Amino acid sequence: MAQWGAVFSIIVAIGGAALLASVHKIEEGHTGVYYRGGALLTSTSGPGFHLMLPFITTYKPVQTTLQTDEVKNVPCGTSGGVMIYFDRIEVVNYLIPSAVYDIVRNFTADYDKALIFNKVHHELNQFCSVHSLQEVYIGLFDQIDENLKLTLQEDLTKMAPGLIIQAVRVTKPNIPESIRRNYELMESEKTKLLISQQTQKVVEKEAETERIKAVIEAEKVAQVSEIKFGQKVMEKETEKKISEIEDNAFLARQKARADAEFYTAQRAAEANKMKLTPEYLQLMKYKAIAANSKIYFGNDIPQMFVDSPSSSAKTSAAMDIVADQLLDLD
């Protein structure tokens, strides 16, 4: 019985170990691939717990979410023969789950070494070999990451469909110390030149501003002068019109007055002409005599009205003179 107990214990232990070895877990964001005797199996598994044949089947989780591969210390020779080094190049990529089996079958589970690390070395050296140090270090440095991304994605689309390059970040390369000092000196001089140019632009802008201010001020003065001149012209024209109106009114009044006086004199002359009748002259003669305030008394008074030949002629002549004087007064 003791022997059977020991055998049972061994069987239970082996079964427990086999059960533990067959149960495995795939993390979220990964896809499991399986090997049996070193051969890749066609089945894959998603996140969660799974069972496999213990001891003869193994698995590897393959990440299918965004991951960043860092390629460090990449040597690069420029077209001028200068050797430079890129400290770190970061490649952000992800693998489509449906493409895991094909990529692992063709490039193993460590596919990023062949498809990313080696390709980065190759493409970066290709870029440096056709460009000068000036272009790689300064002129075209801002284009390296985008060009590297496009080149990698173009090759991966042909070689390993399903592996997507999201972004590439390239650090500034290390160059020989002597050349670096020259570049720093050149950048310093360039900075001084830029400062000088900016200062010149500021001075030119200030001068332009002052010129514009002067032009605006002159235009304002000219406009004010023009307005004042226009006002004076309008005032003079107004005064001229008023003077013309007053002159016309005065002329009209004088003409009306002259016409009235002429009409009055004409009518008076016509009236006087109509009055010059013998009867009217005789009446006026008697009025003139009656208006005389002198009264004579005596024996000879009646003789004034007696028609004697001599006295009658004298009296008539005197009366005619008086009548003429009265007409002149009228």
Side-chain angles (χ1 to χ4, degrees), residues 187-201:
E187 287 297 321
S188 176
E189 294 298 325
K190 186 183 294 184
T191 302
K192 291 180 181 178
L193 177 61
L194 290 175
I195 292 174
S196 176
Q197 291 176 348
Q198 292 298 323
T199 302
Q200 182 179 358
K201 288 181 180 180

Side-chain angles (χ1 to χ4, degrees), residues 41-325:
L41 300 179
T42 57
S43 61
T44 59
S45 59
F49 287 100
H50 301 277
L51 293 174
M52 65 181 179
L53 290 176
F55 309 120
I56 61 173
T57 301
T58 58
Y59 78 99
K60 282 187 177 180
V62 179
Q63 186 175 350
T64 55
T65 56
L66 279 177
Q67 60 178 339
T68 301
D69 293 325
E70 291 187 358
V71 186
K72 296 182 179 179
N73 197 24
V74 179
C76 184
T78 64
S79 60
V82 180
M83 184 63 68
I84 60 177
Y85 294 87
F86 289 88
D87 282 341
R88 186 175 69 257
I89 300 174
E90 298 178 349
V91 181
V92 182
N93 62 93
Y94 66 94
L95 181 60
I96 298 175
S98 60
V100 170
Y101 173 75
D102 293 331
I103 290 179
V104 172
R105 182 186 62 184
N106 295 326
F107 303 99
T108 74
D110 297 326
Y111 62 88
D112 51 359
K113 182 177 181 181
L115 297 177
I116 294 178
F117 287 83
N118 294 342
K119 289 292 292 180
V120 166
H121 279 265
H122 174 73
E123 296 299 337
L124 199 57
N125 276 275
Q126 289 289 328
F127 180 82
C128 292
S129 64
V130 295
H131 293 93
S132 65
L133 177 62
Q134 169 70 21
E135 293 173 336
V136 175
Y137 191 67
I138 296 177
L140 300 177
F141 177 75
D142 59 338
Q143 303 177 16
I144 293 178
D145 48 2
E146 189 65 26
N147 289 335
L148 190 56
K149 173 190 172 184
L150 294 176
T151 305
L152 287 175
Q153 188 62 68
E154 184 178 355
D155 291 343
L156 291 176
T157 302
K158 299 176 182 178
M159 298 173 56
L163 182 58
I164 308 300
I165 303 298
Q166 185 72 20
V168 175
R169 295 186 290 267
V170 180
T171 59
K172 200 76 172 177
N174 293 324
I175 62 176
E177 185 64 23
S178 59
I179 299 177
R180 187 183 63 82
R181 285 197 298 268
N182 291 335
Y183 272 113
E184 289 179 352
L185 181 61
M186 182 178 67
E187 287 297 321
S188 176
E189 294 298 325
K190 186 183 294 184
T191 302
K192 291 180 181 178
L193 177 61
L194 290 175
I195 292 174
S196 176
Q197 291 176 348
Q198 292 298 323
T199 302
Q200 182 179 358
K201 288 181 180 180
V202 170
V203 173
E204 291 177 354
K205 197 67 177 178
E206 290 178 351
E208 181 69 15
T209 303
E210 293 298 327
R211 187 188 69 82
I212 294 174
K213 286 183 179 179
V215 171
I216 294 174
E217 188 66 25
E219 290 178 352
K220 184 181 72 174
V221 172
Q223 291 176 357
V224 171
S225 300
E226 184 178 358
I227 292 172
K228 290 182 177 179
F229 178 76
Q231 290 178 344
K232 290 182 179 179
V233 171
M234 292 177 64
E235 290 176 358
K236 293 299 181 181
E237 289 179 353
T238 304
E239 291 177 358
K240 179 181 176 181
K241 290 180 179 179
I242 293 173
S243 177
E244 291 177 353
I245 293 172
E246 291 178 349
D247 292 343
N248 292 332
F250 178 76
L251 181 62
R253 288 196 300 271
Q254 293 296 107
K255 185 177 180 181
R257 181 180 299 175
D259 291 342
E261 291 178 354
F262 173 76
Y263 180 76
T264 302
Q266 184 179 13
R267 298 302 293 176
E270 292 177 355
N272 291 332
K273 186 176 180 181
M274 294 177 66
K275 289 179 181 180
L276 293 179
T277 60
E279 293 80 5
Y280 180 76
L281 292 176
Q282 190 70 22
L283 175 64
M284 294 304 296
K285 181 189 298 184
Y286 292 128
K287 284 184 177 180
I289 293 173
N292 189 0
S293 58
K294 293 180 179 181
I295 300 173
Y296 296 91
F297 297 93
N299 296 325
D300 295 331
I301 290 174
Q303 293 179 359
M304 293 179 60
F305 302 100
V306 176
D307 291 333
S308 63
S310 61
S311 63
S312 177
K314 292 180 180 179
T315 302
S316 298
M319 294 300 292
D320 291 336
I321 293 172
V322 173
D324 292 336
Q325 290 179 352

